[in-house]
Amino acid sequence: MIVNHEEFHTYVASRGAALLRVAHQLTGNLCDAEDLLQAALAKTYLAWDRIQDRSSLDSYVRRAMVNINISWWRRRKLEEYPSEDLPDIPTQHDPRHQYDELEQALDRLPARQRTAIVLRYYEDMTEMEIARTLGISVGTVKSTVSRGMAKLRGDLVPVGREAMN
């Protein structure tokens, strides 16, 4: 295996931050996101000489992150159950905090819902692609995304609307 170390290093240096954001959206935890990205980059490094289309590197790493994250779920066999009571979250009126509020709301979703929403709306994957990636049916993808979006809508109150309630 002959790997161009400089080319790989340049890729990681230029795209690492963006890929870490995707990993964080998938895991909901920065420490897990760092581990996930590191594992995906290790797989990418091992396959570097087989990846002919360098323009598809981000897609390769994102797909590796999704697959690794799914494997981790299966190994942990953790069950997540939504709580009946939502935590009180202070409403921030500064528009710069809307992204932070969305990130926090995504973090509160169960892992499968968060992953399906990230793949659908951040990665712009079709329902069929998500179904194949997660190993579930298209119907399950639709219901998972729908439930997750309903939770996000309930969790995110637009600025100004809370004053009307």
Side-chain angles (χ1 to χ4, degrees):
M1 173 175 75
I2 300 172
V3 176
N4 183 335
H5 299 288
E6 186 63 33
E7 186 181 16
F8 181 77
H9 181 270
T10 301
Y11 170 73
V12 172
S14 67
R15 299 297 301 148
L19 293 168
L20 182 59
R21 283 191 299 274
V22 172
H24 187 238
Q25 291 164 345
L26 288 170
T27 63
N29 176 297
L30 186 57
C31 292
D32 291 341
E34 290 170 344
D35 290 343
L36 179 61
L37 179 58
Q38 184 175 3
L41 288 174
K43 280 187 170 250
T44 304
Y45 182 80
L46 293 174
W48 191 258
D49 58 333
R50 294 188 314 265
I51 303 172
Q52 300 299 317
D53 183 9
R54 295 293 193 231
S55 66
S56 66
L57 283 170
D58 280 2
S59 297
Y60 184 92
V61 175
R62 285 191 307 259
R63 179 64 58 139
M65 285 192 292
V66 168
N67 291 342
I68 292 167
N69 199 33
I70 290 169
S71 294
W72 289 354
W73 290 348
R74 289 179 179 153
R75 260 189 249 134
R76 280 186 234 149
K77 295 190 185 217
L78 291 179
E79 292 289 330
E80 293 187 31
Y81 300 98
S83 171
E84 299 238 356
D85 301 318
L86 292 176
D88 292 331
I89 300 167
T91 304
Q92 299 169 336
H93 297 287
D94 187 343
R96 292 174 295 178
H97 296 291
Q98 289 177 350
Y99 181 77
D100 292 336
E101 289 176 10
L102 177 59
E103 288 292 317
Q104 291 168 2
L106 278 169
D107 289 347
R108 288 187 293 272
L109 291 176
R112 182 182 275 187
Q113 287 178 359
R114 180 176 53 246
T115 300
I117 288 173
V118 167
L119 294 176
R120 180 71 183 103
Y121 297 105
Y122 283 75
E123 298 303 318
D124 202 30
M125 291 174 73
T126 66
E127 291 165 340
M128 182 66 77
E129 291 170 327
I130 296 168
R132 275 190 299 245
T133 299
L134 299 180
I136 57 178
S137 71
V138 173
T140 303
V141 170
K142 290 178 181 181
S143 64
T144 301
V145 170
S146 177
R147 287 184 187 127
M149 291 302 291
K151 285 182 184 179
L152 287 176
R153 281 187 207 98
D155 206 13
L156 297 171
V157 177
V159 175
R161 184 176 272 176
E162 70 275 353
M164 294 189 297
N165 293 337

